[in-house]
Amino acid sequence: MKKWFAATLLLLALGYTFYGLSTLTLLTSSGRPAAGFFPLVVGVLLVISCAINLWGDARDWMKERQSGVAPIHQADPEAEAKADTFGVDAHAIDGGPEFGRDVAIVFVYICVFVAIMNLVGALIAMVLFMLAFLFTFNRPHVVSNLLYSLALPGFLYGLFKILLNASLPTGPLGF
């Protein structure tokens, strides 16, 4: 199952990269980076990371088929020590089949984020996404959740909309 998920992500990353290359220009007439430069960088990084992930999953799958024994995954001892220091379950650090519910929740949150971005604007959609995400997975830290939910979208909005003058969806409030 992991290898198919990794292969699907690689195909999506390739599709994103090719779509960006075919619809956006990389350089302006003066030779400066244009609108397609950032998506190209992100797309190439996505393709590389997804290919590495698929390679590792395929290698594990081949080892399992040859030996007939599924590889036992153990957390890094240093990660376990750090997790014990902070009182976190070390086996939850790198996920596993028991975290499928969390993946589904994040997937739904991302879909809702994309769906409402044009309705309420990029900034408000980012704030709502961060609030939902943090209050789902980090419930006890109300103050830090609120601060992060305002600070990160505010920083990203300032970076892309104000500093880089990127086109972001505007909502009914004008931002």
Side-chain angles (χ1 to χ4, degrees):
M1 178 70 178
K2 277 177 55 176
K3 67 183 176 309
W4 296 116
F5 183 72
T8 302
L9 287 180
L10 178 60
L11 288 175
L12 288 171
L14 285 167
Y16 170 81
T17 305
F18 288 128
Y19 178 76
L21 283 173
S22 64
T23 59
L24 299 170
T25 57
L26 294 177
L27 299 173
T28 62
S29 58
S30 63
R32 297 185 65 192
F37 186 74
F38 184 71
L40 174 66
V41 171
V42 171
V44 168
L45 291 174
L46 277 171
V47 168
I48 291 169
S49 63
C50 289
I52 291 169
N53 188 36
L54 178 59
W55 173 258
D57 289 344
R59 189 181 59 215
D60 290 345
W61 178 71
M62 289 301 291
K63 285 181 184 176
E64 181 181 342
R65 287 200 57 195
Q66 289 173 351
S67 68
V69 178
I72 298 172
H73 181 72
Q74 296 178 342
D76 178 36
E78 185 177 332
E80 281 194 45
K82 287 180 185 176
D84 288 342
T85 303
F86 292 112
V88 177
D89 178 19
H91 300 289
I93 289 174
D94 50 5
E98 65 272 12
F99 294 100
R101 181 182 143 270
D102 295 345
V103 171
I105 290 170
V106 171
F107 180 75
V108 168
Y109 285 173
I110 291 171
C111 289
V112 170
F113 169 69
V114 170
I116 68 169
M117 193 180 312
N118 286 328
L119 298 173
V120 299
L123 180 61
I124 294 173
M126 285 188 280
V127 169
L128 293 174
F129 173 79
M130 290 288 296
L131 283 170
F133 183 86
L134 289 174
F135 279 106
T136 300
F137 296 107
N138 195 28
R139 278 194 193 112
H141 305 286
V142 175
V143 175
S144 64
N145 289 350
L146 290 171
L147 288 174
Y148 288 133
S149 295
L150 295 173
L152 182 63
F155 170 76
L156 292 174
Y157 184 82
L159 174 68
F160 287 103
K161 183 70 174 179
I162 297 168
L163 187 65
L164 297 174
N165 199 21
S167 176
L168 293 176
T170 54
L173 301 175
F175 52 86

